[in-house]
Amino acid sequence: MINIDWKGWKRALFDFFLPGECPICAKAAYLDDVSFSCLSCLDSVAWIQQSRCKLCGVGMDGMDYAGLTCKNCREFPPLFGAGRAMFYLNKAGRQLVHQLKYDRNKRILEDVPFFLERAPQFLEFLTGAVLIPVPLHPKKLYKRGYNQSLWIAEAFAREAGVSTVAYDCLKRVRNTPTQTKLDRKERQQNVKNAFALKDGTCLDGFDRVVLVDDVYTTGATLDACAKALIDRGVGLVEVATLGHG
Ligand SMILES: [Zn+2]
Ligand SMILES: [Zn+2]
């Protein structure tokens, strides 16, 4: 059966006739001619700007912490070595991720330079790393038609200049059910051994890998990906996401 992407067509038509609709306020077409979203809407995103957990990247302001590791990472230490997220999933942040993930709105990523201005040290974190997007299972990829994490990794690589994206390195070997309603333990079980390296993948030059995903929730998916890479000898695996929460 041919899988017609009606949503993608509808969006392409809308973009043609009604260009520049802000993904956050859904009005004010081209209010700011330099950005896709209104800049004032981007200001309403809860950017992570203060001190952060060095492992998962969550903001540490006012939290109970020892050193710079959050409570979750102390109780359930991840396999990856460090992490960064750009923003919390408040209403505006959630809207950005939702449109990218479920509405094929890739234009959101035209604003990554504005995201980077609002998320200090994020660009430095990416520089010099090999970026690997979290893969979708082929069945899910076929259904959705795109992998939003690959789009994000490409946008990050474009801004970081020297980072490379390894598209075809990790694969999802099990089509795991959606994790939205699962708790931390269930998520860990759900993604256990769900990822593997593709046959013939050469890891020469993969001294530092940054895994890229749309959101960090418990870190279970990113940790399962990190395990597949560490098991094959990658020395340093870190993670970077748009949203945290
Ligand atoms: Zn707006
Ligand atoms: Zn943490």
Side-chain angles (χ1 to χ4, degrees):
M1 192 185 75
I2 300 168
N3 184 20
I4 299 172
D5 175 21
W6 293 113
K7 228 179 202 175
W9 275 100
K10 201 172 131 199
R11 176 154 292 283
L13 274 172
F14 261 87
D15 280 350
F16 185 75
F17 290 108
L18 295 166
E21 185 184 88
C22 171
I24 296 173
C25 66
K27 54 185 180 187
Y30 286 131
L31 236 188
D32 295 291
D33 58 4
V34 292
S35 57
F36 178 58
S37 305
C38 319
L39 288 178
S40 55
C41 282
L42 287 184
D43 290 341
S44 72
V45 173
W47 302 99
I48 300 177
Q49 296 177 319
Q50 72 281 48
S51 56
R52 297 166 290 258
C53 167
K54 64 184 177 188
L55 289 176
C56 72
V58 69
M60 298 290 291
D61 210 26
M63 289 175 68
D64 158 41
Y65 68 93
L68 280 178
T69 308
C70 76
K71 189 167 178 286
N72 280 337
C73 288
R74 289 201 309 273
E75 282 178 19
F76 310 98
L79 293 170
F80 50 79
R84 285 281 191 288
M86 292 187 128
F87 52 78
Y88 293 112
L89 295 174
N90 70 347
K91 193 174 173 217
R94 202 173 288 280
Q95 188 83 350
L96 287 177
V97 170
H98 190 95
Q99 287 230 358
L100 184 67
K101 193 168 179 175
Y102 301 112
D103 268 352
R104 191 185 274 267
N105 196 351
K106 192 180 183 181
R107 295 199 64 192
I108 279 163
L109 297 171
E110 291 172 18
D111 288 338
V112 164
F114 299 101
F115 294 3
L116 290 167
E117 282 175 358
R118 290 158 171 76
Q121 294 159 18
F122 196 92
L123 190 62
E124 292 83 338
F125 181 73
L126 301 173
T127 304
V130 175
L131 305 184
I132 299 183
V134 170
L136 292 176
H137 189 272
K139 278 187 184 162
K140 203 169 262 177
L141 182 63
Y142 179 75
K143 203 171 163 201
R144 188 173 294 167
Y146 62 100
N147 178 357
Q148 72 282 356
S149 299
L150 172 59
W151 285 356
I152 297 166
E154 287 172 334
F156 284 171
R158 199 170 55 231
E159 298 308 318
V162 293
S163 305
T164 34
V165 180
Y167 308 90
D168 254 352
C169 153
L170 266 186
K171 63 178 176 181
R172 200 183 276 247
V173 289
R174 282 195 295 112
N175 193 12
T176 52
T178 180
Q179 311 223 87
T180 21
K181 296 218 163 67
L182 305 183
D183 66 21
R184 173 184 299 276
K185 233 183 167 61
E186 290 166 334
R187 281 173 188 243
Q188 277 170 341
Q189 276 306 320
N190 191 36
V191 291
K192 197 175 177 189
N193 300 324
F195 299 93
L197 266 88
K198 285 192 177 171
D199 294 341
T201 294
C202 172
L203 297 174
D204 289 349
F206 283 37
D207 300 327
R208 178 174 170 251
V209 164
V210 171
L211 289 161
V212 177
D213 207 358
D214 49 1
V215 294
Y216 187 108
T217 309
T218 64
T221 302
L222 287 157
D223 221 30
C225 289
K227 186 175 186 314
L229 291 161
I230 291 165
D231 284 352
R232 288 281 295 272
V234 177
L236 186 55
V237 181
E238 301 179 335
V239 302
T241 62
L242 289 181
H244 197 300

